[in-house]
Amino acid sequence: MRRLSILYGILLLIVFTACSKKSNPKPPKDDDDPVVVVPETPEESPVGDVVGKITVGYQGWFTAAGDGSPQNNWGHQNIESWPDVSEYATTYQTTLPDLENGQPAKMFSSWDASTVNKHFEWMKQYNIDCAALQRFCNEITPGSDIKAFRDGMATKVKNAAEANGVKFYIMYDASGWKNLEVMKADWENTITGSLDLLSSPQYAKQNGKPVVSIYGLGYAHHPGNAAEALDLINWFKAKGCYVIGSVAGQWRTGTGDSQPNFINTYKAFNMISGWAVGRVVDGNYGSWVNGDRDFCKANGIDYQPCAYPGTSFHNTNGDASPKNQFPRRHGDFLWSQFAVFKNSGVRSVYVAMFDEVNEATQIFKTAENTSQIPAGKWFLTLDADGVAVSSDFYLRLVSDGGKMIKGQLPYSASHPTPHIE
């Protein structure tokens, strides 16, 4: 027994010595290899209402004479592409000539609940997960007609999202405004106050937190310096929000449209989405997306790049903006961005925009050819690049792009979507 006790004691001594060495490693001598401590990479957020999903921007700002809106007049009619209104329950006669095919030139109003419901019905049909409702800081002054319109639109979007099973969230647009503080008051008094949007089961949440997005922080000609922007982001985070930053495309470098010295401010966002509209996304776009992705991953930020189908602003700017400035190339332009994202391992995408016919970034149904636009007028039609496509082509294309991003379709460098179905 004594021998066993001695052996047991020796064994305990060996185990204790080994553990001591493991927990208190010998510091390296000058001639030893340096000890390199590799920091743990922050984990990306799990799939939620925006992470791992396809989100579209939703303007909802078109009004018409006689629509009963607070404006009750034509608004945002500086349109570049003509909408296909064949499926709308209510439309309004414009003063434009009849369409080339003899049909009257009618326009929808976003104020009609049936219009918003139709749009969200399309989102559901074409596998769009979430809509970011635009809310402009220069339009939310209490007591104004335009704020009444924006508040009404928020309620209509909530109802349509609930009816169709699509998520939505508020996206503030700070461009054209000087006071960032207006967002704090609006969030407390209207969004979570009188409208009570966050009580909707369809209000988007990520990591259990209600989502809010802010467009414009860090832009060279938009309001807020780095400290003011950081204060706003932290204010929303203190309110329990998951905060997305929709920032200039060159946000990491402080060049182009972006301000320098904003990097630490950007690090406060929960998600970053670099704006792409009007930006060249051919050539080395993959390396830029990879750079954004790597920065976000290294700093524990989710990444949501922006894709757009093409853009044109001629009917508003005249000859200062060429017709068909960034051609859609019958879907090739938009799909090339989805292909880059897939190659870069991107999980979340923001598509600009669902309904903005003002800058021809819309993906919803618009005129296929000149027979479907007012006679004698120029509007950018979907066949402008020499290939006929159906009015729902870009909805179907985004559906397929989303499926590829989610792994439901295999990677393809060229789009698989039929031009006409």
Side-chain angles (χ1 to χ4, degrees), residues 128-204:
I128 293 166
D129 303 297
C130 189
L133 175 62
Q134 312 299 288
R135 193 167 175 87
F136 298 85
C137 293
N138 60 340
E139 296 180 351
I140 53 178
T141 302
S144 64
D145 285 347
I146 190 63
K147 182 179 185 295
F149 174 79
R150 283 294 175 187
D151 292 353
M153 286 305 305
T155 298
K156 295 174 195 294
V157 163
K158 176 182 76 73
N159 293 339
E162 291 174 355
N164 292 282
V166 176
K167 297 291 183 177
F168 77 101
Y169 61 83
I170 291 297
M171 184 173 184
Y172 285 107
D173 188 324
S175 60
W177 196 241
K178 297 180 180 179
N179 182 11
L180 297 182
E181 295 294 312
V182 69
M183 286 181 250
K184 297 179 183 179
D186 184 71
W187 185 259
E188 286 202 314
N189 299 331
T190 302
I191 302 304
T192 63
S194 59
L195 297 183
D196 193 24
L197 294 186
L198 272 59
S199 67
S200 172
Q202 293 308 115
Y203 194 92

Side-chain angles (χ1 to χ4, degrees), residues 385-402:
D385 301 317
V387 174
V389 305
S390 60
S391 66
D392 71 340
F393 170 68
Y394 284 92
L395 289 168
R396 291 187 288 110
L397 187 74
V398 168
S399 175
D400 287 343

Side-chain angles (χ1 to χ4, degrees), residues 23-347:
S23 59
N24 297 289
K26 180 183 66 174
K29 298 178 182 178
D30 291 340
D31 56 350
D32 286 342
D33 290 333
V35 175
V36 178
V37 178
V38 179
E40 183 179 350
T41 301
E43 292 185 1
E44 296 175 283
S45 293
V47 171
D49 289 346
V50 290
V51 172
K53 298 299 173 63
I54 303 299
T55 299
V56 293
Y58 189 69
Q59 297 286 20
W61 61 8
F62 303 97
T63 57
D67 64 3
S69 68
Q71 286 72 36
N72 202 37
N73 210 335
W74 296 105
H76 284 284
Q77 297 301 306
N78 58 319
I79 61 179
E80 193 81 352
S81 296
W82 189 258
D84 172 5
V85 299
S86 60
E87 296 182 42
Y88 292 85
T90 304
T91 54
Y92 300 84
Q93 180 63 53
T94 70
T95 59
L96 292 171
D98 288 347
L99 308 185
E100 291 280 1
N101 61 17
Q103 296 293 316
K106 291 190 173 184
M107 178 66 184
F108 68 85
S109 169
S110 300
W111 186 252
D112 290 316
S114 61
T115 294
V116 185
N117 191 68
K118 176 58 66 176
H119 290 166
F120 276 73
E121 178 186 310
W122 287 340
M123 292 180 201
K124 184 66 174 181
Q125 179 182 354
Y126 296 101
N127 303 303
I128 293 166
D129 303 297
C130 189
L133 175 62
Q134 312 299 288
R135 193 167 175 87
F136 298 85
C137 293
N138 60 340
E139 296 180 351
I140 53 178
T141 302
S144 64
D145 285 347
I146 190 63
K147 182 179 185 295
F149 174 79
R150 283 294 175 187
D151 292 353
M153 286 305 305
T155 298
K156 295 174 195 294
V157 163
K158 176 182 76 73
N159 293 339
E162 291 174 355
N164 292 282
V166 176
K167 297 291 183 177
F168 77 101
Y169 61 83
I170 291 297
M171 184 173 184
Y172 285 107
D173 188 324
S175 60
W177 196 241
K178 297 180 180 179
N179 182 11
L180 297 182
E181 295 294 312
V182 69
M183 286 181 250
K184 297 179 183 179
D186 184 71
W187 185 259
E188 286 202 314
N189 299 331
T190 302
I191 302 304
T192 63
S194 59
L195 297 183
D196 193 24
L197 294 186
L198 272 59
S199 67
S200 172
Q202 293 308 115
Y203 194 92
K205 292 183 174 62
Q206 184 61 50
N207 305 344
K209 301 177 180 181
V211 175
V212 63
S213 180
I214 307 168
Y215 171 86
L217 300 183
Y219 272 85
H221 304 293
H222 292 184
N225 59 35
E228 292 167 336
L230 181 60
D231 172 76
L232 179 65
I233 298 165
N234 285 334
W235 184 89
F236 274 109
K237 291 172 76 172
K239 294 293 180 180
C241 294
Y242 176 95
V243 187
I244 303 174
S246 179
V247 296
Q250 293 170 301
W251 60 276
R252 278 187 295 113
T253 62
T255 58
D257 290 337
S258 62
Q259 294 188 46
N261 306 317
F262 252 75
I263 284 296
N264 287 331
T265 297
Y266 295 138
K267 289 179 180 178
F269 284 119
N270 298 111
M271 173 180 270
I272 285 180
S273 183
W275 190 246
V277 176
R279 186 178 181 189
V280 176
V281 293
D282 294 323
N284 66 344
Y285 191 52
S287 63
W288 193 275
V289 168
N290 289 343
D292 287 357
R293 175 204 63 194
D294 292 347
F295 179 96
C296 288
K297 188 173 183 179
N299 289 281
I301 304 167
D302 296 318
Y303 180 43
Q304 183 199 55
C306 169
Y308 73 110
T311 188
S312 179
F313 213 28
H314 176 77
N315 280 346
T316 296
N317 292 337
D319 291 338
S321 294
K323 297 177 180 178
N324 200 13
Q325 185 172 8
F326 281 76
R328 293 178 173 231
R329 304 202 309 263
H330 37 83
D332 291 350
F333 183 77
L334 178 56
W335 190 264
S336 70
Q337 296 162 71
F338 276 109
V340 166
F341 299 158
K342 182 64 176 178
N343 276 331
S344 297
V346 166
R347 299 188 297 157

